[in-house]
Amino acid sequence: MKQLIRAAKEAALSIPEVLSLIFSNGSPETQAACARVCKKWSEVALDELWRELEDIYPLLRLLIPFEDFFDEYGHDVLYEVDTLERLRTADWPRFRQYATRVKSIEYDENAAYPSHPSKEEIAFMCLHHPYGNCLAPNVRMLRWQLSGETTITRMIPFASQRLEDLRLEIQLDSTEPPDIFLGLAHRTPTLKRLSIKSKEPPHHMSYSLSRWIETCPGLEKVHIPRRWQISDVVIAFGSLPNLLEFGIHWNQSPAEDMVFGNDMEMAEGHFQNLRRLGWYSDIEEATDLLQQASRGFKGLALDCPKGRRRAGVVAFIATAAQCCPDLDSFCLNLTNFVDGMEPYEVTNPIDFNLDEDIEPYEDPELLDLETFRPLLACKGLRELRIHSPGPCILSTSDLEEMGAAWPNMEELVLSPRPKDMVEDQGTPISMLPRVATAFPRIRLLGLYFDQSDPPDSAGDLLPEVQFRCLRELHVGSSRIPGGDSGAVGLYLASLFAVGTRPSIRAKTSIIRGELYCNTALFEEWEAIERLVHRAMRVKEAVFRRLSHH
């Protein structure tokens, strides 16, 4: 019997798929060690070790030792004759053996040490590469932070013909309109997902971007900078036949983008298969767009920081629920997320040089169920994020209604960072058990807590009502309820099920990003998180002990 079991184990550990699953959970050091065990393990372990690279130098140093790229002063020396000779005589078959394993590359030109390769250096490598111009032919995901020069020459050799996911962050020094995207035309035929972050003016990029996008017919998901939502760019993406999701990256300082257009229209023949839309618009224009659209969306994300009259907001939400009954995701931003400032410091949009036609702030109204009641008709809703100038107030009956309407809710974020922080407004922390009851599948929860309401007694570490699936609790700009960090920590620990240990952060989860509050507040909640996790370890030990009896 023992021999049969041993033979079965040996057979299982010879199956590449099983080995790949095991090695994928190991550290790079573990994977490197496994690669030296035997030939069967070596190939699989090396595949996992080289699958994802956070720099391009591990590949390049297979051709030339790292120290040969730069002299002792950090200056490029690759142009020297002896170095070029090394490229000619490099072990290219060995390089290809490892380069073909790479499926994902991340590279930050700002963080490159001691410097990133120059355009000429990359050109030299491509000229000497005997297997074509692409140095990593099987890359599926490429994340590249472009800075300084108006060129993507360094990136092109790593953008394979099999690339499916491209994430660009662009910070250029030049004020001239660069045609940086023209170099990508016809090089990314299999691209499916595209994300671009940039503060560059849109008119500097629109022409080359449109030309490139024409050669990416398979694009399915796109997210661009908010300021790039101009007519030329929208039309270019709208013409893509397979586009399912179009969105923008929410910006912490919308004043910087308000000088640009917010063109978003559903022209005839455009966005024919679009199912998820994220855009920047006035609330009235957004309502009109939904009424004019000839299709219902599965996901909506509207960024509307410059006009928030309650009647307009209610009308938009009602229109969204009526036109899109199958919504599973609804996100609405009605605030200015200003980098480095507390919400209550934002007093008037004129401080940020906003356009004259932008409405001034109204007195912050509380966010309540009546504001988004029409969404109760969308029974498939899984994600709801509303950022409002005022905090959210929910009653027990509100939570019961919401839980009955949205049994599959997984991400719920309701104004955790209001404009005006008032001590006696917000969600009482003692309401959390009711939230857990209403939304048993909740994974991410963001709320602004009432500072004046202390938590209930936390004498029972294993109460009947607990968060079973929660992974993240975002408290935004909430002060410590009752001012007692210890009581809050023990109370939260009692509400988290064994094995969960959610992170607790003084931050706000927005679309495709997060915003952090001031350092002091962040540190206070970080200390509470440490206390919670210590209490959770005790709780888990008690649970194990009880389960043995």
Side-chain angles (χ1 to χ4, degrees):
M1 179 61 70
K2 291 182 178 180
Q3 291 180 344
L4 290 175
I5 294 175
R6 182 177 179 181
K9 288 181 178 179
E10 292 179 354
L13 293 178
S14 299
I15 301 174
E17 292 79 8
V18 174
L19 290 174
S20 179
L21 181 62
I22 296 172
F23 296 157
S24 65
N25 292 299
S27 65
E29 293 77 14
T30 301
Q31 293 165 349
C34 291
R36 294 191 290 269
V37 172
C38 63
K39 187 173 182 180
K40 287 183 179 179
W41 282 29
S42 179
E43 291 300 312
V44 181
L46 287 175
D47 283 345
E48 294 300 327
L49 179 62
W50 284 84
R51 180 179 299 277
E52 299 178 0
L53 296 182
E54 296 182 357
D55 204 336
I56 59 176
Y57 280 112
L59 266 181
L60 302 187
R61 66 188 300 174
L62 292 172
L63 302 173
I64 303 175
F66 183 82
E67 58 273 12
D68 289 352
F69 278 105
F70 308 95
D71 62 20
E72 58 182 322
Y73 303 105
H75 299 145
D76 291 343
V77 295
L78 192 58
Y79 60 86
E80 295 184 0
V81 175
D82 60 335
T83 307
L84 292 177
E85 182 61 28
R86 292 193 181 193
L87 280 176
R88 296 189 190 98
T89 59
D91 189 348
W92 288 104
R94 176 172 176 265
F95 173 84
R96 181 174 176 80
Q97 179 185 0
Y98 290 97
T100 53
R101 302 178 192 270
V102 180
K103 303 298 190 298
S104 171
I105 295 178
E106 297 186 17
Y107 185 65
D108 182 356
E109 294 184 357
N110 283 320
Y113 178 82
S115 175
H116 52 68
S118 68
K119 295 179 292 184
E120 292 76 16
E121 292 165 358
I122 292 294
F124 289 151
M125 292 182 186
C126 291
L127 286 172
H128 289 87
H129 186 233
Y131 303 104
N133 292 330
C134 186
L135 298 178
N138 294 323
V139 168
R140 300 313 201 266
M141 195 285 288
L142 182 61
R143 179 181 179 185
W144 202 278
Q145 297 188 46
L146 181 67
S147 64
E149 304 174 27
T150 57
T151 177
I152 56 170
T153 303
R154 282 181 288 272
M155 187 186 79
I156 288 178
F158 301 95
S160 77
Q161 291 284 306
R162 299 182 179 183
L163 187 65
E164 297 180 354
D165 189 346
L166 178 59
R167 308 172 192 180
L168 294 174
E169 296 184 26
I170 304 172
Q171 299 176 1
L172 303 180
D173 295 336
S174 173
T175 57
E176 298 296 323
D179 295 331
I180 64 170
F181 293 114
L182 292 181
L184 289 173
H186 302 287
R187 293 181 182 271
T188 56
T190 59
L191 192 63
K192 294 182 179 179
R193 296 173 293 277
L194 173 64
S195 171
I196 303 176
K197 294 182 179 180
S198 176
K199 292 186 177 181
E200 301 300 318
H203 301 290
H204 288 188
M205 305 287 188
S206 60
Y207 173 73
S208 63
L209 177 64
S210 300
R211 291 287 302 276
W212 168 42
I213 293 305
E214 292 174 358
T215 67
C216 304
L219 265 177
E220 296 177 356
K221 297 183 179 180
V222 170
H223 289 85
I224 61 174
R226 174 164 56 185
R227 59 176 54 192
W228 287 18
Q229 187 188 302
I230 61 174
S231 180
D232 292 346
V233 175
V234 171
I235 290 174
F237 284 109
S239 63
L240 294 173
N242 298 311
L243 192 65
L244 302 175
E245 180 175 333
F246 177 81
I248 61 172
H249 291 287
W250 287 11
N251 189 355
Q252 299 182 33
S253 302
E256 298 177 357
D257 298 333
M258 289 182 182
V259 297
F260 304 105
N262 59 341
D263 303 321
M264 189 68 218
E265 57 179 339
M266 295 290 168
E268 185 176 354
H270 284 64
F271 295 109
Q272 292 184 346
N273 295 309
L274 197 67
R275 300 298 290 156
R276 301 186 182 276
L277 174 63
W279 77 115
Y280 168 56
S281 171
D282 292 327
I283 199 76
E284 291 79 10
E285 293 177 357
T287 303
D288 292 340
L289 184 142
L290 291 182
Q291 292 173 339
Q292 296 169 5
S294 59
R295 69 194 69 85
F297 296 103
K298 294 279 289 184
L300 292 174
L302 174 63
D303 189 10
C304 180
K306 64 176 187 177
R308 297 165 301 280
R309 298 193 182 281
R310 183 180 178 87
V313 173
V314 172
F316 170 74
I317 294 177
T319 302
Q322 181 180 1
C323 297
C324 311
D326 297 327
L327 277 177
D328 60 27
S329 174
F330 182 86
C331 306
L332 177 61
N333 173 41
L334 303 170
T335 66
N336 284 322
F337 294 121
V338 181
D339 191 17
M341 300 183 70
E342 284 296 300
Y344 55 80
E345 293 175 319
V346 184
T347 56
N348 195 301
I350 197 172
D351 295 338
F352 305 99
N353 298 319
L354 306 187
D355 293 342
E356 294 180 358
D357 62 343
I358 296 173
E359 300 174 9
Y361 280 102
E362 296 177 341
D363 292 332
E365 296 188 32
L366 299 180
L367 178 65
D368 55 24
L369 178 59
E370 296 309 311
T371 307
F372 52 89
R373 177 174 292 278
L375 291 175
L376 295 178
C378 302
K379 302 300 183 181
L381 205 62
R382 295 174 180 268
E383 177 186 18
L384 176 63
R385 301 172 191 250
I386 301 180
H387 298 279
S388 169
C392 180
I393 304 293
L394 296 174
S395 66
T396 300
S397 60
D398 291 339
L399 289 172
E400 291 174 351
E401 281 192 77
M402 293 163 63
W406 306 321
N408 299 316
M409 179 64 68
E410 296 179 355
E411 299 185 10
L412 181 65
V413 179
L414 296 175
S415 197
R417 189 180 178 181
K419 171 180 171 284
D420 284 345
M421 296 188 295
V422 184
E423 291 186 6
D424 60 349
Q425 291 183 344
T427 300
I429 196 170
S430 57
M431 292 283 286
L432 285 180
R434 295 176 177 84
V435 176
T437 301
F439 306 112
R441 299 186 181 183
I442 196 77
R443 295 186 298 106
L444 185 152
L445 179 63
L447 294 172
Y448 176 73
F449 290 127
D450 183 349
Q451 183 183 354
S452 65
D453 184 78
D456 293 337
S457 173
D460 185 3
L461 281 179
L462 295 172
E464 182 178 353
V465 177
Q466 292 182 312
F467 287 100
R468 305 288 177 183
C469 303
L470 192 67
R471 295 294 179 267
E472 297 181 66
L473 175 62
H474 296 175
V475 300
S477 52
S478 303
R479 302 295 181 184
I480 308 301
D484 189 341
S485 297
V488 171
L490 291 176
Y491 179 68
L492 291 176
S494 71
L495 295 177
F496 299 154
V498 171
T500 55
R501 293 194 194 181
S503 65
I504 305 170
R505 290 289 187 268
K507 66 181 181 181
T508 299
S509 176
I510 61 174
I511 294 299
R512 305 181 68 80
E514 296 171 342
L515 304 179
Y516 288 84
C517 294
N518 67 61
T519 303
L521 196 60
F522 183 84
E523 291 175 351
E524 289 179 4
W525 282 102
E526 193 175 49
I528 289 178
E529 181 191 61
R530 291 195 294 269
L531 174 60
V532 169
H533 289 178
R534 286 198 298 271
M536 290 296 294
R537 287 195 289 271
V538 174
K539 182 175 179 176
E540 290 165 0
V542 172
F543 182 80
R544 287 195 299 269
R545 189 71 174 265
L546 292 175
S547 64
H548 291 158
H549 293 281

